[in-house]
Amino acid sequence: MGGAFAQGGSVMTPDMFIHIGPFEALFLLALGFFGGMLSGFIGTGGAFVLTPGMMSIGTPGPIAVASNMCHKFPKAMIGAYRRYKLRQLDPKLALLMATSAIFGVQVGIQVQKHIYELLGPTGTNLYVSVAFLIVLPTVAAVLIRDVVKARRMGISDLEPRFAAKLEQKFRIPPMIKFNIVGREQSAWLTIPLGFGTGFLAATIAVGGFIGVPSMIYLIGASSAVASGTELGIAFVMGSTGTFTWIYLLGAVDLRLTTLILATSLIGVQIGAVGTTYVRQYYIKMAMATVMLLVTLSRALAVPGYLVELGWVELDESVVNLLNAFVLPVMTVAFLSSTPIVLYPMMRVRRKLARAGILDSSLDGISIGKFNWKRIGIFGPLTALNYYILFHDPDWWPRFVTSIPQHEPLTAALLSIGVILFAIYWSFVHGSFAYGILDFIRIAPLKREVADIIAKDGISGLEAWIDYMEREFGKDKWPVW
């Protein structure tokens, strides 16, 4: 491990990369859209849906984690920008946590590498699945508790009391004022939180389950700000982690990444917009619901891994039956994001449209306009990119698995090249997707309207509309 770069050791081989036929392609496109929509809504990168989703169609654990990390950072870059414009991302907090998260990512990848060398692909599949079984139900239980309390008390979200106590008692310099969060906390509090986020992201590609709750309960951020800030951290973790996955193991399958990106770049923007249409506790409820479904999917897969490793004995028919339910349950998990995100959005938009104020309630200057220049330029470029990657389905597995075998400097440059290509791909396709969303009028609510919903819900919005109609004409409402 000495010198400027570590030499790659045990690497993936081309035969470990799955064949992508019509079924796999359609599944990955659907997975990307629904996972992206959920990611933009809850701010965790959506890895707890995407990684198990890829594994459910036969992708080995390390390749699923690495490919999702490569998919995550360009998508997170776009989502973070959208959330920053909505004042749902704290730059100071994102920078501090991302710094220590980088180290957590590198340690986490080494753990994955060690397990792969010791137990092979089945061992890493088991490790990823068991980690999900521990993390997801634990976080879901905490979130459900908060949702129940918030609904019982009739408030938007619970005040993180422990964060307030830390702000008063844990005052080890330097103390940092996080303006968007609205708290002043010690910089030293962010170091273990960032490291844990990075470690979990590298081992199971789900750093947000440490990052988001820790920002809520320890730093004192709201659910929306925590999820938005997590997208900024995910960009830094994902880019550095992708480099290591490629350089050491050649584990990134850009075919999986780009198929998921094709639809997730649209989904993530719809999800980010959706946060302005709901109360804060609704975001927690969405996270908990999908987490529990994914937990069930991974639990069904674990017996098969144990049998493959020779650690337990089960009748083959039992294993086959359990495995038969892995993909359907996973499909239900990511499809559940549709009503979670879109139902409240459609409900609010319908009420605003009936009041005749939908257009004036949306925050956007190009809403409903078809941008021929953007669509005309970036649409064909997107199609060309996919042709280059998929015209020979075997060249990418051969190329990426050869990178760790090169001289260290060459391998590093090739790894950086893949990262830059992923960013370019996301920029081109993201611009195309943004033009489509503008045309179909998917835009966030203006802050004044979003604040009413966050505070008082749909009933508060209805009361506000009634009051404004009585007091003012529709063209003279002070909010506009």
Side-chain angles (χ1 to χ4, degrees):
M1 300 291 289
F5 299 102
Q7 183 64 48
S10 300
V11 301
M12 303 295 109
T13 56
D15 62 291
M16 296 177 66
F17 288 66
I18 65 168
H19 168 72
I20 299 180
F23 170 77
E24 289 81 5
L26 289 174
F27 178 83
L28 290 166
L29 289 171
L31 181 68
F33 176 76
F34 294 111
M37 186 163 55
L38 196 62
S39 168
F41 191 67
I42 66 179
T44 68
F48 68 98
V49 171
L50 299 177
T51 301
M54 286 184 277
M55 293 175 68
S56 68
I57 58 172
T59 304
I63 295 177
V65 172
S67 301
N68 184 61
M69 188 165 278
C70 183
H71 143 266
K72 179 193 293 186
F73 81 86
K75 184 186 70 177
M77 178 177 65
I78 293 172
Y81 174 70
R82 295 277 287 187
R83 298 293 283 273
Y84 176 74
K85 290 176 66 177
L86 296 172
R87 289 185 61 81
Q88 293 178 354
L89 186 153
D90 193 303
K92 290 181 185 177
L93 181 58
L95 179 62
L96 284 171
M97 287 190 63
T99 301
S100 55
I102 291 174
F103 294 96
V105 166
Q106 302 307 312
V107 173
I109 292 176
Q110 292 299 326
V111 170
Q112 276 272 35
K113 185 171 181 288
H114 177 71
I115 292 173
Y116 173 73
E117 292 171 346
L118 189 66
L119 299 174
T122 302
T124 56
N125 289 342
L126 178 62
Y127 169 64
V128 170
S129 298
V130 170
F132 276 120
L133 295 182
I134 295 172
V135 175
L136 298 192
T138 303
V139 177
V142 175
L143 295 173
I144 291 172
R145 180 203 65 184
D146 283 0
V147 169
V148 171
K149 287 184 177 180
R151 296 192 68 174
R152 184 183 302 155
M153 297 169 66
I155 59 177
S156 175
D157 201 2
L158 292 181
E159 175 71 17
R161 297 178 181 177
F162 187 63
K165 293 180 180 179
L166 286 174
E167 185 176 15
Q168 296 173 358
K169 298 181 179 180
F170 190 78
R171 302 192 64 83
I172 301 177
M175 298 295 295
I176 307 295
K177 175 65 176 178
F178 299 114
N179 295 323
I180 303 299
V181 171
R183 296 281 188 187
E184 184 181 51
Q185 301 284 17
S186 171
W188 294 103
L189 185 62
T190 67
I191 293 176
L193 302 183
F195 182 88
T197 300
F199 180 84
L200 202 59
T203 50
I204 60 174
V206 187
F209 290 155
I210 291 290
V212 173
S214 67
M215 282 185 276
I216 293 173
Y217 297 108
L218 301 181
I219 302 297
S222 68
S223 298
V225 172
S227 60
T229 302
E230 166 60 23
L231 289 173
I233 299 169
F235 167 68
V236 177
M237 292 191 304
S239 56
T240 56
T242 296
F243 173 88
T244 306
W245 276 116
I246 298 170
Y247 178 79
L248 288 181
L249 294 168
V252 171
D253 191 343
L254 202 61
R255 303 172 306 159
L256 302 178
T257 296
T258 54
L259 282 171
I260 290 175
L261 274 174
T263 48
S264 69
L265 288 174
I266 296 175
V268 72
Q269 295 184 62
I270 294 175
V273 165
T275 61
T276 65
Y277 289 79
V278 298
R279 305 183 80 174
Q280 291 296 302
Y281 70 72
Y282 194 87
I283 297 175
K284 293 181 179 180
M285 185 172 68
M287 290 178 69
T289 300
V290 182
M291 283 179 191
L292 293 177
L293 288 169
V294 175
T295 298
L296 177 59
S297 175
R298 282 297 89 203
L300 292 168
V302 166
Y305 299 143
L306 294 173
V307 170
E308 286 185 42
L309 290 169
W311 291 358
V312 299
E313 292 185 3
L314 282 177
D315 187 271
E316 185 177 353
S317 62
V318 174
V319 174
N320 291 337
L321 178 63
L322 294 175
N323 287 338
F325 282 99
V326 171
L327 183 58
V329 173
M330 191 65 240
T331 303
V332 172
F334 70 71
L335 286 177
S336 68
S337 63
T338 303
I340 287 173
V341 177
L342 294 185
Y343 174 72
M345 185 186 298
M346 295 301 102
R347 188 181 179 192
V348 169
R349 290 168 67 93
R350 190 161 52 245
K351 291 186 180 298
L352 293 172
R354 287 174 181 171
I357 56 170
L358 176 59
D359 288 345
S360 54
S361 298
L362 299 178
D363 187 7
I365 59 174
S366 58
I367 303 303
K369 298 179 181 178
F370 192 81
N371 192 325
W372 287 103
K373 183 176 180 181
R374 175 178 284 171
I375 301 295
I377 293 175
F378 294 110
L381 274 177
T382 296
L384 178 61
N385 289 339
Y386 279 99
Y387 173 77
I388 292 173
L389 184 61
F390 283 93
H391 77 284
D392 178 0
D394 298 323
W395 83 266
W396 177 261
R398 293 195 302 267
F399 167 71
V400 74
T401 53
S402 72
I403 290 178
Q405 309 299 339
H406 287 281
E407 292 296 321
L409 181 59
T410 302
L413 291 175
L414 289 172
S415 301
I416 293 173
V418 173
I419 292 173
L420 294 176
F421 184 66
I423 293 175
Y424 154 77
W425 194 300
S426 298
F427 171 75
V428 169
H429 185 64
S431 298
F432 174 66
Y434 195 78
I436 293 175
L437 291 173
D438 274 350
F439 178 65
I440 60 177
R441 306 163 71 88
I442 299 296
L445 294 175
K446 286 182 177 177
R447 187 175 181 182
E448 297 87 349
V449 183
D451 286 346
I452 292 170
I453 297 172
K455 181 180 179 182
D456 299 315
I458 294 294
S459 60
L461 177 67
E462 292 173 339
W464 175 75
I465 291 174
D466 291 341
Y467 170 77
M468 297 298 281
E469 285 181 339
R470 288 195 307 268
E471 297 294 323
F472 307 96
K474 292 180 181 178
D475 296 331
K476 300 178 181 179
W477 287 18
V479 69
W480 316 133

